[in-house]
């Protein structure tokens, strides 16, 4: 369902350590914008009853049932977009603005 690259996993673990979020899962939320693109949110949280849980790269991810469909087959990466500016990116084929990476 959701894939996390090793670079993203390392940053998520670092963020959890720095934020004293040990024992909490990473919650990923997704919602549609007015233009049909997808807006993403991430943060550490406790699991709720209707959440979908995914384990990948030693990371526990939780998503709501509503977000799960929008996040199907998404890859999360942590990349340098500009010199010394790193950020998470969502490679999501469900987003109309998605363009597969070229090699």
């Amino acid at each position: 369902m959701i894939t996390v690259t090793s670079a993203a996993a390392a940053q998520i673990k670092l963020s959890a350590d720095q934020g004293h979020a040990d024992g909490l899962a990473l919650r990923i939320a997704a919602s549609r914008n007015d233009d049909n693109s997808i807006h993403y949110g991430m943060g550490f949280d406790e699991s709720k009853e209707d959440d979908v849980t995914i384990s990948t790269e030693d990371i526990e991810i939780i998503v709501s049932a509503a977000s799960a469909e929008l996040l199907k087959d998404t890859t999360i990466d942590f990349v340098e977009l500009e010199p010394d500016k790193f950020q998470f990116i969502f490679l999501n084929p469900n987003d109309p603005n998605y363009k597969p990476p070229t090699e």
Side-chain angles (χ1 to χ4, degrees):
M1 169 180 205
I2 296 174
T3 304
V4 176
T5 66
S6 58
Q11 184 60 36
I12 291 165
K13 290 174 187 175
L14 179 63
S15 295
D17 287 344
Q18 290 176 339
H20 306 289
D22 297 332
L24 295 177
L26 178 68
R27 178 172 297 281
I28 301 174
S31 60
R32 286 254 183 229
N33 292 320
D34 291 339
D35 66 356
N36 209 29
S37 65
I38 299 177
H39 174 78
Y40 303 96
M42 295 177 17
F44 295 100
D45 197 6
E46 293 181 6
S47 182
K48 295 178 179 51
E49 188 175 321
D50 293 337
D51 284 339
V52 176
T53 303
I54 302 139
S55 293
T56 179
E57 292 286 326
D58 289 332
I59 305 290
E60 184 179 355
I61 298 172
I62 51 177
V63 297
S64 69
S67 291
E69 193 62 34
L70 291 174
L71 293 167
K72 184 177 181 201
D73 300 324
T74 296
T75 297
I76 301 170
D77 201 356
F78 189 72
V79 298
E80 185 175 21
L81 294 177
E82 297 176 24
D84 296 324
K85 286 193 154 189
F86 290 83
Q87 75 179 52
F88 288 100
I89 61 169
F90 293 79
L91 304 169
N92 185 346
N94 303 299
D95 191 322
N97 297 319
Y98 171 74
K99 292 182 180 46
T102 56
E103 300 206 13

